[in-house]
């Protein structure tokens, strides 16, 4: 899509419905994720849940992607394939999900910890999630795309973490990836002006080590060059005047995780 697509309030409500379906799908994943579970099993649960609720998995067949979820383990940043790998204690697992409902797209990602994880990974998850929250705080009308990127980058780098540059957030709603690009780095006051009607996916991808990543020959998987752990959290967000309207939510996931403890 070559130009920015501004949504009507009615369209934003439809994107909210798609985003909530994604959020609930990730909560279904949260219910079963744990040591010994194969990542392909998570994918099957997600696909069934989306279809049972009248949706279409947005990632399945997207540019040939073979699954409904992107599942990226440990040093993998994003776009990993679900497969026969059995999760084990100490893993961190980014699960990225997209759904189409009534022709509108929602997109959200959460990085789960499997059993007990080391302190450094715990910090990485906490700070990456904070980066997302700080980015969302800047997703208000009148500010610019660079304000979001600056907020994310500043918090990550102050904590000694690497901000992935090669992959970015994006406009979302009518298509999975729309304009504008929403980088996780930037200068305050730079880039496109944020206006009401803009819906974007903000998705910090943050590495425990260096920022650099490599692209695998499989055409999809992205991992850290230095093999450090990488985390990824994502929300679909509508720009509003005073405060961003976050259309996806982690509440369902975190309710499940609390009950599992
Ligand atoms: Mg996503
Ligand atoms: Mg996205």
């Amino acid at each position: 899509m070559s130009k920015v697509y501004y949504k009507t309030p009615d369209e934003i409500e439809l994107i909210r419905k798609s985003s909530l379906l994604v959020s609930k799908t990730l909560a279904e994943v949260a219910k079963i994720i744990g040591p010994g579970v194969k990542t392909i099993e998570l994918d099957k649960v997600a696909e069934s849940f989306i279809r049972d609720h009248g949706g279409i998995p947005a990632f399945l067949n997207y540019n040939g992607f073979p699954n409904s979820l992107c599942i990226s383990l440990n040093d993998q940043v994003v776009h990993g394939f679900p497969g026969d790998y059995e999760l084990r204690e100490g893993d961190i697992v980014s699960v990225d999900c997209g759904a189409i409902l009534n022709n509108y797209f929602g997109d959200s990602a959460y990085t789960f910890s499997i059993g007990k994880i080391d302190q450094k990974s715990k910090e990485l998850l906490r700070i990456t999630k904070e980066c997302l929250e700080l980015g969302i705080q800047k997703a208000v009308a009148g500010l610019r795309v660079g304000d979001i990127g600056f907020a994310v980058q500043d918090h990550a780098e102050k904590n000694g973490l690497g901000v992935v540059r090669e992959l970015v957030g994006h406009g979302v709603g009518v298509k999975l990836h729309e304009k504008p690009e929403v980088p996780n780095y930037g200068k305050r006051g730079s880039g496109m002006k944020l206006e009401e009607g803009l819906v974007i996916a903000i998705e910090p991808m943050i590495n425990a080590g260096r920022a650099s990543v490599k692209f695998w020959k499989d055409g999809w998987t992205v991992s850290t060059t230095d093999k450090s752990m990488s985390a990824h959290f994502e929300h679909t967000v509508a720009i509003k005047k005073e405060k961003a309207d976050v259309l996806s939510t982690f509440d369902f996931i975190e309710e499940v995780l609390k009950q599992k403890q």
Side-chain angles (χ1 to χ4, degrees), residues 138-203:
K138 300 294 178 188
V140 292
L143 294 183
R144 289 177 182 272
V145 168
D147 291 306
I148 297 173
F150 177 84
V152 171
Q153 179 183 8
D154 185 55
H155 189 58
E157 290 182 351
K158 271 183 182 156
N159 285 283
L161 303 175
V163 177
V164 175
R165 304 292 203 280
E166 290 86 344
L167 299 138
V168 296
H170 49 93
V172 62
V174 173
K175 289 190 174 183
L176 181 58
H177 294 119
E178 300 175 16
K179 290 209 164 173
E181 290 195 341
V182 183
N184 295 305
Y185 56 91
K187 289 194 170 65
R188 272 188 280 209
S190 74
M192 200 186 88
K193 196 177 224 177
L194 302 169
E195 291 174 53
E196 278 197 285
L198 189 63
V199 179
I200 55 175
I202 303 178
E203 49 178 317

Side-chain angles (χ1 to χ4, degrees), residues 61-124:
N61 302 321
Y62 180 83
N63 291 338
F65 191 79
N67 296 96
S68 298
L69 298 175
C70 293
I71 299 187
S72 309
L73 296 156
N74 299 323
D75 65 323
Q76 296 172 3
V77 178
V78 285
H79 302 167
F81 300 118
D84 287 331
Y85 177 84
E86 283 183 16
L87 296 169
R88 46 180 107 145
E89 179 118 1
D91 284 342
I92 64 169
V93 195
S94 153
V95 181
D96 194 347
C97 182
I100 313 167
L101 194 61
N102 302 309
N103 296 319
Y104 287 86
F105 288 74
D107 190 8
S108 182
Y110 194 90
T111 302
F112 294 90
S113 42
I114 305 303
K116 279 205 179 70
I117 61 171
D118 63 38
Q119 197 55 36
K120 208 174 166 191
S121 299
K122 229 183 249 181
E123 283 283 286
L124 173 69

Side-chain angles (χ1 to χ4, degrees), residues 2 18 28 38 91 139 166 225:
S2 59
S18 322
E28 293 301 303
K38 288 181 179 168
D91 284 342
E166 290 86 344
T225 306

